[in-house]
Amino acid sequence: MPTAPRVWTSEAFEAGTKYPTARVVDKDGNVCVQSDFATNGIVRVYDISSSTPSTLVLSNTVAISTLINNTLQSWDVDDVGWNFQTTITSNQVAWEGGHTYRVSTLLPHDTQGYIPVVHDIKIRALLSL
């Protein structure tokens, strides 16, 4: 039985660049590499705390080579590592403290259709310190 889709979660202060990171595997659980994808990924950001949570805040097409690493990288989530990371700057999104943003990335796998990578980032106001 396939596992339920994962929503990666994190917290960050409202200022600065965000780096949503994940481990991307195919439907069989194999870690994906760049050659598994023929075209660019689609990165979309939504402010799911706003009065219009389905309205796009940002939509970008991003080269697979900047999204997927061919080797797993170390992180503090587990001992396995990550192979996906995107970058979203404060110039692209006006992060607002107290809001949660959904970063939805669609990766077009060569044989398995789109692999979604979903992050929810809870933004803390700088004045909350």
Side-chain angles (χ1 to χ4, degrees):
M1 175 191 288
T3 60
R6 178 159 187 178
V7 177
W8 300 88
T9 60
S10 63
E11 285 190 35
F13 287 112
E14 58 193 349
T17 300
K18 311 303 179 259
Y19 302 94
T21 305
R23 182 174 44 255
V24 177
V25 297
D26 65 16
K27 69 175 181 62
D28 300 317
N30 300 309
V31 174
C32 293
V33 295
Q34 292 174 7
S35 62
D36 291 328
F37 306 97
T39 62
N40 296 326
I42 302 166
V43 178
R44 296 179 177 145
V45 179
Y46 303 87
D47 179 351
I48 60 175
S49 299
S50 76
S51 60
T52 56
S54 61
T55 300
L56 278 169
V57 174
L58 174 71
S59 182
N60 275 342
T61 301
V62 181
I64 288 296
S65 62
T66 64
L67 294 172
I68 297 290
N69 278 301
N70 285 328
T71 57
L72 292 171
Q73 308 297 307
S74 297
W75 64 354
D76 59 1
V77 174
D78 59 32
D79 292 333
V80 179
W82 62 270
N83 63 336
F84 168 91
Q85 187 175 70
T86 190
T87 303
I88 304 166
T89 69
S90 291
N91 291 333
Q92 295 171 302
V93 174
W95 309 106
E96 184 175 342
H99 286 233
T100 298
Y101 292 81
R102 171 144 307 157
V103 179
S104 173
T105 305
L106 295 174
L107 301 172
H109 194 278
D110 281 345
T111 61
Q112 298 179 11
Y114 281 102
I115 296 177
V117 183
V118 180
H119 292 83
D120 283 353
I121 305 173
K122 182 178 177 181
I123 303 298
R124 292 182 57 194
L126 286 174
L127 297 176
S128 67
L129 296 175

